[in-house]
Amino acid sequence: MDEPAGTAPPPLPALRGPWWRDTTVYHVYPRSFADGNGDGVGDLPGVIAHLDYLEHLGVETLWLSPFFRSPQADFGYDITDHTDVDPSHGSLADFVHLIDEVHRRGMKLVLDTVLNHTSIEHPWFTASRSGRDDPKRDWYIWRDGQRADGRGRPNNWRNMLGGRGWHHDAGTDQWYWASFLPFQPDLNWRNPDVKAAMLGVVRHWLDLGVDGLRLDVFNAIFKDASFADNPRSLRPLPTGSNPEGFFQRPLHTLDHRDTFALARELRGIVDAYDPPRFVVGEVMGASGVLREYVGAAGEGLHLVFMFDTMGTRFSADGFRRLLADAESAFPAPLQPTWVFSNHDRPRAMLRLGDDPRKAKLLAMLQLTVRGVPFIYYGEEIGLSHVEIPAELGLDPIAARFRWVPRWLARRLRGRGILLNRDECRLPMPWTAAKHAGFSRDDVVPWLPLDPRSGTINVAAQDADPASLLATYRRLLRLRRAHPALHRGAMELSSTGQSAAVLAYRRVDDSESAHVMLNMSDATVDVELPVGVHALHSTIGPCVEVTTGRRRLAPYEGIISLSTDAGPRPAAAAGTRPLR
Ligand code: NOJ
């Protein structure tokens, strides 16, 4: 590729649609990004100290996993005050400093919002469990047991981890519901006061200037008011495209029509802000269900995650299908999302066999397909997966599944299910220093470092134009500089190339970008489009422009830019009114 890694990113172009449709998101897990205050745990000052790095990388939006007040039993996803910063992560003043610094750089900030539940230590829950007559009793979901003696769970519902989600409270002899872990009781969104309080949380952060919210387990917010049993099923495990599992169909616990209605209501709240903001929902299911959250005409959540991206086999065929599905489920002006790793799932590098050629190819795919890419911290340097035995895990899920034999845990990990999420949350390696520059040499990080941090780190890749980091930087600059890549319509090409090559075209007004990704370990010849004026490859910084036939090395990807846009694909971006 011909743009040197060291150049500054071009200024953000004036876009035709709202900015969030074309942005690139970088997901920071604050505990693991950078320790600014010397306690071994990452924090907001640590993020602030690395904003220059992120700006130079070329990402446009940051999403921060929770940093709110929390006993940290689920590392911030168990909250005791949704509107304050946990002291281990800094202060509200640090947050204000962070948002100012992000905006000063022309970047955006997205926060994680946990609307579904609180910590069991939240003052609301403490009050709620204090007595059946407490005014906060109805803020959570309390039910009598099925048996006359109060025992026997209220129904057969299972939580998202396959366990029984009802928990008995001896003091008041009733059961409370938790969709996730027992110390994360679900709020009762059918109570108008709860709804008002949580929408107040949404407004609190939007009023402070955050540009978007990622909605944690949004699919679980409303449970069916009948409390009827969920139907039985034969499926043992849920997947990204099918939440049915643990031998039941979550008919009454997930994807309730009232949650779809809430998606539309939230859209109204968020769209009232100027400049525009967005929400992205953590929801799962087949594309039809995902589309319900977004709304038939895009009147629901702005974006939803597509988790199938993490379960797709590394093959041209697999990704071709995925792209075709995404195009049909989210036709322009709707936007798919592209995520290959996050703080709950095995890192992409594990699936790629730690092969940097494949990582570069995946980066090229992620940053050139139509949709919003979500890059998980460390993905840009090929931070990999390290097996940490469950008995050493700090993750509450590891504590829960300690009994699972290691061979089975490995097999599940191969299927995208992590029983110890510490493995994908290792400290970001910045340098080859003792603690990888994540924390000071005299402060031990909260999780162990990847043993390869001495060689796989930001400093080592920074000056190497052939590194994965340099590839990300070039791709992000290219995406930003070329409207065809960040807002163009997309068309999958199925003819003329080898089956091992995933090929598609992005088109905007007068420019076309043809992307060809050789997803095999063999060399393949491809036919370049006519009129190419620039060629970018995953292999190296400079590539000569040729015409006609070109040989792609194993796992090489190329982008050919031509000024003659050719006919626009049928469902061209921007041809329908944007919301
Ligand atoms: C989904 C989050 O991604 C995960 O990290 C968290 O543990 C659960 N929701 C509970 O909030």
Side-chain angles (χ1 to χ4, degrees), residues 29 74 77-78 112 114 117 160 180-181 184 214 216-217 282 342-344 397 421 425:
Y29 190 71
D74 188 18
Y77 284 95
D78 52 320
D112 222 310
V114 185
H117 52 263
M160 291 174 144
F180 209 68
L181 289 159
Q184 291 160 312
R214 177 258 186 196
D216 188 66
V217 292
E282 188 200 25
N342 70 18
H343 62 297
D344 295 328
I397 296 209
R421 297 174 299 173
R425 300 172 175 178

mmCIF file of all heavy atoms in Angstrom, residues 29 74 77-78 112 114 117 160 180-181 184 214 216-217 282 342-344 397 421 425, ligand 1:
data_model
loop_
_atom_site.group_PDB
_atom_site.id
_atom_site.type_symbol
_atom_site.label_atom_id
_atom_site.label_comp_id
_atom_site.label_asym_id
_atom_site.label_seq_id
_atom_site.Cartn_x
_atom_site.Cartn_y
_atom_site.Cartn_z
ATOM 1 N N TYR A 29 -11.641 -1.945 26.504
ATOM 2 C CA TYR A 29 -12.044 -2.564 27.769
ATOM 3 C C TYR A 29 -11.192 -1.851 28.822
ATOM 4 O O TYR A 29 -9.996 -2.147 28.968
ATOM 5 C CB TYR A 29 -11.777 -4.066 27.712
ATOM 6 C CG TYR A 29 -12.368 -4.829 28.863
ATOM 7 C CD1 TYR A 29 -13.751 -5.000 28.962
ATOM 8 C CD2 TYR A 29 -11.554 -5.363 29.858
ATOM 9 C CE1 TYR A 29 -14.303 -5.694 30.032
ATOM 10 C CE2 TYR A 29 -12.106 -6.055 30.926
ATOM 11 C CZ TYR A 29 -13.474 -6.222 31.006
ATOM 12 O OH TYR A 29 -14.023 -6.901 32.064
ATOM 13 N N ASP A 74 -18.622 -8.442 38.275
ATOM 14 C CA ASP A 74 -18.569 -8.754 36.837
ATOM 15 C C ASP A 74 -17.839 -7.608 36.129
ATOM 16 O O ASP A 74 -18.187 -7.201 35.041
ATOM 17 C CB ASP A 74 -19.993 -8.936 36.272
ATOM 18 C CG ASP A 74 -19.975 -9.444 34.822
ATOM 19 O OD1 ASP A 74 -18.922 -9.961 34.387
ATOM 20 O OD2 ASP A 74 -21.001 -9.315 34.137
ATOM 21 N N TYR A 77 -19.990 -4.634 34.879
ATOM 22 C CA TYR A 77 -21.334 -4.898 34.353
ATOM 23 C C TYR A 77 -22.315 -5.158 35.508
ATOM 24 O O TYR A 77 -23.450 -5.556 35.285
ATOM 25 C CB TYR A 77 -21.319 -6.059 33.353
ATOM 26 C CG TYR A 77 -20.748 -5.633 32.009
ATOM 27 C CD1 TYR A 77 -19.404 -5.832 31.704
ATOM 28 C CD2 TYR A 77 -21.547 -4.991 31.064
ATOM 29 C CE1 TYR A 77 -18.883 -5.418 30.488
ATOM 30 C CE2 TYR A 77 -21.027 -4.574 29.844
ATOM 31 C CZ TYR A 77 -19.704 -4.789 29.559
ATOM 32 O OH TYR A 77 -19.187 -4.372 28.356
ATOM 33 N N ASP A 78 -21.835 -4.964 36.727
ATOM 34 C CA ASP A 78 -22.677 -5.022 37.922
ATOM 35 C C ASP A 78 -22.538 -3.639 38.572
ATOM 36 O O ASP A 78 -21.509 -3.315 39.138
ATOM 37 C CB ASP A 78 -22.210 -6.141 38.866
ATOM 38 C CG ASP A 78 -20.724 -6.064 39.180
ATOM 39 O OD1 ASP A 78 -19.913 -5.756 38.262
ATOM 40 O OD2 ASP A 78 -20.352 -6.276 40.352
ATOM 41 N N ASP A 112 -20.946 2.138 27.303
ATOM 42 C CA ASP A 112 -21.737 0.940 27.530
ATOM 43 C C ASP A 112 -22.838 1.302 28.525
ATOM 44 O O ASP A 112 -22.566 1.978 29.521
ATOM 45 C CB ASP A 112 -20.822 -0.110 28.170
ATOM 46 C CG ASP A 112 -21.028 -1.475 27.595
ATOM 47 O OD1 ASP A 112 -22.189 -1.908 27.532
ATOM 48 O OD2 ASP A 112 -20.028 -2.118 27.230
ATOM 49 N N VAL A 114 -25.880 -0.340 30.878
ATOM 50 C CA VAL A 114 -26.485 -1.584 31.355
ATOM 51 C C VAL A 114 -27.872 -1.234 31.880
ATOM 52 O O VAL A 114 -28.035 -0.839 33.035
ATOM 53 C CB VAL A 114 -25.594 -2.234 32.440
ATOM 54 C CG1 VAL A 114 -26.149 -3.589 32.850
ATOM 55 C CG2 VAL A 114 -24.160 -2.382 31.942
ATOM 56 N N HIS A 117 -30.074 -4.591 34.250
ATOM 57 C CA HIS A 117 -29.889 -5.030 35.637
ATOM 58 C C HIS A 117 -28.981 -4.078 36.406
ATOM 59 O O HIS A 117 -28.352 -3.199 35.813
ATOM 60 C CB HIS A 117 -29.330 -6.457 35.682
ATOM 61 C CG HIS A 117 -28.097 -6.646 34.832
ATOM 62 N ND1 HIS A 117 -28.136 -7.162 33.562
ATOM 63 C CD2 HIS A 117 -26.793 -6.365 35.064
ATOM 64 C CE1 HIS A 117 -26.917 -7.213 33.054
ATOM 65 N NE2 HIS A 117 -26.078 -6.728 33.949
ATOM 66 N N MET A 160 -29.267 -16.573 30.782
ATOM 67 C CA MET A 160 -28.508 -16.584 29.529
ATOM 68 C C MET A 160 -27.297 -17.516 29.586
ATOM 69 O O MET A 160 -26.674 -17.763 28.560
ATOM 70 C CB MET A 160 -28.020 -15.173 29.217
ATOM 71 C CG MET A 160 -29.157 -14.255 28.853
ATOM 72 S SD MET A 160 -28.522 -12.598 28.663
ATOM 73 C CE MET A 160 -29.551 -12.049 27.329
ATOM 74 N N PHE A 180 -28.660 -12.786 33.951
ATOM 75 C CA PHE A 180 -27.251 -13.158 33.805
ATOM 76 C C PHE A 180 -26.803 -13.843 35.100
ATOM 77 O O PHE A 180 -27.266 -14.923 35.409
ATOM 78 C CB PHE A 180 -26.429 -11.923 33.413
ATOM 79 C CG PHE A 180 -25.220 -12.270 32.600
ATOM 80 C CD1 PHE A 180 -25.339 -12.760 31.313
ATOM 81 C CD2 PHE A 180 -23.948 -12.116 33.119
ATOM 82 C CE1 PHE A 180 -24.205 -13.114 30.560
ATOM 83 C CE2 PHE A 180 -22.808 -12.449 32.374
ATOM 84 C CZ PHE A 180 -22.944 -12.949 31.101
ATOM 85 N N LEU A 181 -25.943 -13.219 35.876
ATOM 86 C CA LEU A 181 -25.441 -13.886 37.089
ATOM 87 C C LEU A 181 -26.304 -13.507 38.298
ATOM 88 O O LEU A 181 -26.976 -12.463 38.282
ATOM 89 C CB LEU A 181 -23.975 -13.500 37.301
ATOM 90 C CG LEU A 181 -23.038 -14.153 36.270
ATOM 91 C CD1 LEU A 181 -21.719 -13.406 36.149
ATOM 92 C CD2 LEU A 181 -22.793 -15.621 36.622
ATOM 93 N N GLN A 184 -26.671 -10.000 39.643
ATOM 94 C CA GLN A 184 -27.110 -8.949 38.712
ATOM 95 C C GLN A 184 -28.627 -9.026 38.522
ATOM 96 O O GLN A 184 -29.116 -9.435 37.467
ATOM 97 C CB GLN A 184 -26.397 -9.116 37.360
ATOM 98 C CG GLN A 184 -24.901 -8.799 37.441
ATOM 99 C CD GLN A 184 -24.095 -9.385 36.307
ATOM 100 O OE1 GLN A 184 -24.239 -10.563 35.994
ATOM 101 N NE2 GLN A 184 -23.231 -8.591 35.700
ATOM 102 N N ARG A 214 -23.828 1.831 23.816
ATOM 103 C CA ARG A 214 -23.922 0.407 23.488
ATOM 104 C C ARG A 214 -24.822 -0.195 24.560
ATOM 105 O O ARG A 214 -24.596 -0.007 25.761
ATOM 106 C CB ARG A 214 -22.524 -0.212 23.510
ATOM 107 C CG ARG A 214 -22.477 -1.719 23.262
ATOM 108 C CD ARG A 214 -22.292 -2.467 24.563
ATOM 109 N NE ARG A 214 -22.101 -3.898 24.375
ATOM 110 C CZ ARG A 214 -22.218 -4.794 25.357
ATOM 111 N NH1 ARG A 214 -22.530 -4.410 26.591
ATOM 112 N NH2 ARG A 214 -22.030 -6.060 25.132
ATOM 113 N N ASP A 216 -26.225 -2.997 26.701
ATOM 114 C CA ASP A 216 -25.905 -4.335 27.186
ATOM 115 C C ASP A 216 -27.167 -5.199 27.251
ATOM 116 O O ASP A 216 -28.231 -4.713 27.662
ATOM 117 C CB ASP A 216 -25.304 -4.185 28.598
ATOM 118 C CG ASP A 216 -24.758 -5.483 29.148
ATOM 119 O OD1 ASP A 216 -23.780 -5.987 28.585
ATOM 120 O OD2 ASP A 216 -25.321 -5.984 30.147
ATOM 121 N N VAL A 217 -27.046 -6.467 26.894
ATOM 122 C CA VAL A 217 -28.157 -7.453 26.885
ATOM 123 C C VAL A 217 -29.533 -6.799 26.667
ATOM 124 O O VAL A 217 -30.487 -7.064 27.395
ATOM 125 C CB VAL A 217 -28.170 -8.376 28.129
ATOM 126 C CG1 VAL A 217 -26.983 -9.310 28.110
ATOM 127 C CG2 VAL A 217 -28.218 -7.644 29.447
ATOM 128 N N GLU A 282 -26.762 -4.830 21.940
ATOM 129 C CA GLU A 282 -26.261 -6.194 22.075
ATOM 130 C C GLU A 282 -27.481 -7.102 22.076
ATOM 131 O O GLU A 282 -28.156 -7.256 23.095
ATOM 132 C CB GLU A 282 -25.461 -6.363 23.370
ATOM 133 C CG GLU A 282 -24.773 -7.714 23.413
ATOM 134 C CD GLU A 282 -24.357 -8.173 24.804
ATOM 135 O OE1 GLU A 282 -24.960 -7.733 25.800
ATOM 136 O OE2 GLU A 282 -23.445 -8.993 24.897
ATOM 137 N N ASN A 342 -14.525 -9.567 20.935
ATOM 138 C CA ASN A 342 -14.949 -8.634 21.981
ATOM 139 C C ASN A 342 -14.554 -9.175 23.346
ATOM 140 O O ASN A 342 -13.806 -10.167 23.430
ATOM 141 C CB ASN A 342 -16.450 -8.287 21.856
ATOM 142 C CG ASN A 342 -17.364 -9.444 22.216
ATOM 143 O OD1 ASN A 342 -16.953 -10.410 22.880
ATOM 144 N ND2 ASN A 342 -18.610 -9.362 21.789
ATOM 145 N N HIS A 343 -15.041 -8.534 24.387
ATOM 146 C CA HIS A 343 -14.589 -8.858 25.739
ATOM 147 C C HIS A 343 -15.261 -10.104 26.311
ATOM 148 O O HIS A 343 -15.056 -10.422 27.481
ATOM 149 C CB HIS A 343 -14.856 -7.658 26.647
ATOM 150 C CG HIS A 343 -16.312 -7.342 26.732
ATOM 151 N ND1 HIS A 343 -17.061 -6.953 25.637
ATOM 152 C CD2 HIS A 343 -17.186 -7.403 27.762
ATOM 153 C CE1 HIS A 343 -18.311 -6.782 25.991
ATOM 154 N NE2 HIS A 343 -18.410 -7.045 27.281
ATOM 155 N N ASP A 344 -16.079 -10.774 25.517
ATOM 156 C CA ASP A 344 -16.756 -11.992 25.978
ATOM 157 C C ASP A 344 -16.361 -13.219 25.162
ATOM 158 O O ASP A 344 -16.682 -14.341 25.557
ATOM 159 C CB ASP A 344 -18.282 -11.843 25.829
ATOM 160 C CG ASP A 344 -18.855 -10.761 26.725
ATOM 161 O OD1 ASP A 344 -18.317 -10.544 27.823
ATOM 162 O OD2 ASP A 344 -19.857 -10.131 26.323
ATOM 163 N N ILE A 397 -17.629 -15.906 35.418
ATOM 164 C CA ILE A 397 -18.073 -17.076 34.639
ATOM 165 C C ILE A 397 -17.100 -18.228 34.856
ATOM 166 O O ILE A 397 -17.500 -19.386 34.979
ATOM 167 C CB ILE A 397 -18.205 -16.704 33.145
ATOM 168 C CG1 ILE A 397 -19.296 -15.653 33.019
ATOM 169 C CG2 ILE A 397 -18.472 -17.933 32.292
ATOM 170 C CD1 ILE A 397 -20.052 -15.606 31.763
ATOM 171 N N ARG A 421 -13.436 -15.567 30.567
ATOM 172 C CA ARG A 421 -13.296 -14.403 29.694
ATOM 173 C C ARG A 421 -12.034 -13.585 29.985
ATOM 174 O O ARG A 421 -11.706 -12.682 29.241
ATOM 175 C CB ARG A 421 -14.567 -13.548 29.778
ATOM 176 C CG ARG A 421 -15.801 -14.283 29.269
ATOM 177 C CD ARG A 421 -17.063 -13.482 29.492
ATOM 178 N NE ARG A 421 -17.276 -13.234 30.903
ATOM 179 C CZ ARG A 421 -18.236 -12.446 31.393
ATOM 180 N NH1 ARG A 421 -19.055 -11.821 30.559
ATOM 181 N NH2 ARG A 421 -18.381 -12.273 32.700
ATOM 182 N N ARG A 425 -9.178 -10.673 27.719
ATOM 183 C CA ARG A 425 -9.138 -9.344 28.349
ATOM 184 C C ARG A 425 -7.740 -9.013 28.860
ATOM 185 O O ARG A 425 -7.589 -8.243 29.811
ATOM 186 C CB ARG A 425 -10.128 -9.302 29.521
ATOM 187 C CG ARG A 425 -11.557 -9.555 29.106
ATOM 188 C CD ARG A 425 -12.489 -9.712 30.285
ATOM 189 N NE ARG A 425 -13.877 -9.835 29.850
ATOM 190 C CZ ARG A 425 -14.909 -10.019 30.672
ATOM 191 N NH1 ARG A 425 -14.697 -10.100 31.988
ATOM 192 N NH2 ARG A 425 -16.130 -10.110 30.209
HETATM 193 C C1 NOJ B 1 -22.959 -8.776 28.257
HETATM 194 C C2 NOJ B 1 -21.595 -8.208 28.443
HETATM 195 O O1 NOJ B 1 -20.963 -8.110 27.202
HETATM 196 C C3 NOJ B 1 -20.872 -9.100 29.420
HETATM 197 O O2 NOJ B 1 -19.510 -8.793 29.524
HETATM 198 C C4 NOJ B 1 -21.552 -8.970 30.756
HETATM 199 O O3 NOJ B 1 -20.946 -9.862 31.670
HETATM 200 C C5 NOJ B 1 -23.040 -9.323 30.628
HETATM 201 N N1 NOJ B 1 -23.664 -8.685 29.516
HETATM 202 C C6 NOJ B 1 -23.810 -8.909 31.867
HETATM 203 O O4 NOJ B 1 -23.953 -7.523 31.928
#
